[in-house]
Amino acid sequence: MEQKMSPSKSALQYGALFGILMVLEFVIVYVMDVDPISNPAAGIIINTLNYLVFPVSIITISCMNYKKNLNNGFISFGECLKIGVTICLIAGLIYGVFSAVFNMIFPEFIEDLMKKTRQVMLKQNPSMTSAQAEMAISMTKKFMSPAIVIPATIAMYSFIGLIYSLIIGAFVKNDNPQSL
């Protein structure tokens, strides 16, 4: 009897691929010194890739692969959800851990980011006092700690995976009549 691979297990490699793609994108942007704050077009492209193009395409490819190659042409709505959430959970874990490690290795990155954030805040709200700006910056720094960044990244990407999986699952599902 043929052993069936679980949807979550088949999604692990795609989750790793998605996480690695986001890490590579971050490294390329960092090395090329692209500033999404002063160059909003770059920020839009990065966000579109990370929150739309990569997850939708990778979840779709993974669901189709599971359906055609691993499950004899069948995939249920629940299996699509498992695949999508697993992919984004793994990718969020990889990206969150990378981000935390990167910020520990290069603390000047955070300091530079905080300076740029302060400039943008003061430009958008010129009546902001220095004390208010410092309070906002200190809160931002607290939210960039690894204890918050990693779980928040995992939760955010898992939620994104859930939403996209619901949509993709509605299109690619093909229930096995034998299992009903």
Side-chain angles (χ1 to χ4, degrees):
M1 184 172 158
E2 186 178 313
Q3 189 173 0
K4 183 179 164 187
M5 182 181 285
S6 76
S8 297
K9 199 172 191 178
S10 73
L12 290 176
Q13 63 189 356
Y14 290 99
L17 172 68
F18 181 20
I20 291 168
L21 281 173
M22 288 193 298
V23 167
L24 285 174
E25 176 192 52
F26 180 88
V27 169
I28 290 168
V29 167
Y30 179 74
V31 168
M32 293 180 65
D33 199 26
V34 175
D35 182 16
I37 295 174
S38 64
N39 184 359
I44 291 169
I45 291 169
I46 292 166
N47 286 335
T48 302
L49 284 173
N50 287 346
Y51 300 117
L52 182 66
V53 175
F54 288 159
V56 169
S57 59
I58 291 174
I59 291 170
T60 303
I61 290 167
S62 181
C63 286
M64 296 303 290
N65 178 58
Y66 182 77
K67 177 180 172 180
K68 290 182 180 174
N69 299 327
L70 302 173
N71 204 27
N72 302 321
F74 301 108
I75 189 167
S76 70
F77 191 72
E79 289 169 332
C80 288
L81 289 177
K82 287 178 189 174
I83 289 170
V85 172
T86 302
I87 286 171
C88 290
L89 184 133
I90 298 299
L93 177 66
I94 291 169
Y95 190 68
V97 169
F98 169 79
S99 177
V101 170
F102 183 85
N103 292 340
M104 285 190 272
I105 293 172
F106 299 106
E108 66 275 3
F109 176 74
I110 296 291
E111 293 304 318
D112 188 43
L113 186 63
M114 291 301 114
K115 286 178 189 173
K116 291 174 185 176
T117 302
R118 185 189 230 314
Q119 291 171 350
V120 170
M121 280 190 321
L122 293 174
K123 186 177 179 182
Q124 290 178 347
N125 190 0
S127 63
M128 182 181 271
T129 66
S130 156
Q132 290 172 328
E134 282 305 315
M135 188 170 74
I137 294 296
S138 70
M139 288 299 290
T140 304
K141 279 185 181 179
K142 285 179 187 174
F143 282 103
M144 294 183 86
S145 73
I148 295 176
V149 166
I150 294 171
T153 304
I154 292 169
M156 179 182 62
Y157 275 101
S158 295
F159 181 72
I160 288 169
L162 175 67
I163 299 300
Y164 289 144
S165 296
L166 288 169
I167 297 166
I168 293 165
F171 289 105
V172 301
K173 77 174 184 139
N174 185 18
D175 290 321
N176 187 346
Q178 300 286 328
S179 67
L180 297 177

